[in-house]
Amino acid sequence: MTNFDDYADLYDLFYRDKDYRAECSYIKALADNYAGRPVGSLLDIGCGTGGHALVWAKAGLDVTGLDRSDRMLMHAREKARKAGLNVPFLEGDVRGFDLGKKFDAITAMFAVMSYQTATEDILSALCSVRKHLDPAGLFFFDAWSGPGVLSDPPHDRVSSFLRGSMEILRTVKPVHDVSRHVVDVHYDILCIEGERIMKRVRETHPMRYFFPQEIADYAS
């Protein structure tokens, strides 16, 4: 079992207000500006339930999704089926995968690179990306910002969501390890119906934050 296996069934509920379309439009604008040629094929690593991949597929790109959580991929495939889209969603670890092909662009959205908390993990992920990226291609990713975390540290949060007659109560408790540049984000999720707790999910997601010079050094 990996992080997100239990979380996957609730993922789209938690992020139902996330503007995937706007984020994809932003990436497309960057690609149009910096790519040496039009982007036709795209690999979305850490694709989750397909939020970004399906938007790009609807826009006509030849998209492949990759994630290490089979439960996330199950939801992504079902969403693709309902939308009538032929998008391969493949299981694999971003630190070491081989699809035997190259892409015009590769994306790692929603802090996928921040899940690579050790230096060797970051380098392995970047090597995997390089192996699958066309020489004229581009790699787009977002990550937790070091200056942002230090100036405005993450704090405890409690959120409530409704799914039919069930209330989903999510508590988020971050624990900051400054020496490692990592925030361990502890999730405690209660699925409540009436007065009964039907299910409890506990997961810890370690998130590394980066500084601009680090990014430049890793990219060199």
Side-chain angles (χ1 to χ4, degrees):
M1 179 177 292
T2 65
N3 278 343
F4 284 120
D5 278 349
D6 285 322
Y7 200 76
D9 296 336
L10 301 168
Y11 188 86
D12 286 337
L13 175 66
F14 293 155
Y15 299 107
R16 62 190 175 191
D17 295 327
K18 184 174 176 63
D19 196 341
Y20 289 99
R21 189 175 301 277
E23 293 181 6
C24 290
S25 295
Y26 177 68
I27 295 298
K28 184 180 184 304
L30 290 176
D32 290 342
N33 191 38
Y34 292 104
R37 63 188 186 194
V39 173
S41 61
L42 183 145
L43 171 64
D44 186 23
I45 62 176
C47 63
T49 63
H52 295 101
L54 295 174
V55 172
W56 280 310
K58 288 177 182 177
L61 294 183
D62 179 11
V63 180
T64 298
L66 181 87
D67 203 282
R68 68 174 186 165
S69 169
D70 60 347
R71 292 272 285 281
M72 285 286 197
L73 293 170
M74 177 187 72
H75 290 286
R77 291 168 185 146
E78 177 62 15
K79 287 160 68 175
R81 185 192 66 78
K82 288 181 177 178
L85 295 170
N86 182 23
V87 178
F89 285 107
L90 309 175
E91 187 172 350
D93 192 315
V94 301
R95 295 168 297 179
F97 62 95
D98 187 358
L99 304 184
K101 61 182 295 187
K102 294 183 182 294
F103 298 84
D104 297 330
I106 297 178
T107 57
M109 304 300 293
F110 217 169
V112 167
M113 291 303 294
S114 284
Y115 279 91
Q116 318 312 312
T117 56
T119 298
E120 56 266 30
D121 294 333
I122 298 165
L123 294 175
S124 294
L126 291 175
C127 284
S128 294
V129 167
R130 183 185 294 273
K131 182 178 180 179
H132 291 81
L133 193 61
D134 183 89
L138 296 172
F139 177 41
F140 300 97
F141 68 94
D142 60 8
W144 280 32
S145 162
V149 170
L150 296 183
S151 64
D152 185 16
H155 54 274
D156 294 4
R157 304 189 310 276
V158 178
S159 305
S160 178
F161 306 84
L162 290 177
R163 174 179 282 177
S165 61
M166 184 174 293
E167 179 185 14
I168 315 294
L169 193 65
R170 183 182 67 171
T171 301
V172 181
K173 183 177 181 59
V175 178
H176 192 178
D177 185 341
V178 179
S179 65
R180 295 170 54 227
H181 292 182
V182 170
V183 177
D184 289 319
V185 184
H186 299 274
Y187 291 96
D188 191 356
I189 301 166
L190 299 177
C191 302
I192 305 167
E193 189 149 20
E195 299 297 322
R196 297 181 60 195
I197 297 176
M198 309 301 293
K199 185 176 183 180
R200 186 173 194 174
V201 176
R202 286 174 165 171
E203 292 190 357
T204 299
H205 295 200
M207 306 296 293
R208 178 164 175 168
Y209 51 86
F210 296 91
F211 294 88
Q213 187 58 51
E214 279 186 292
I215 299 295
D217 289 343
Y218 284 127
S220 62

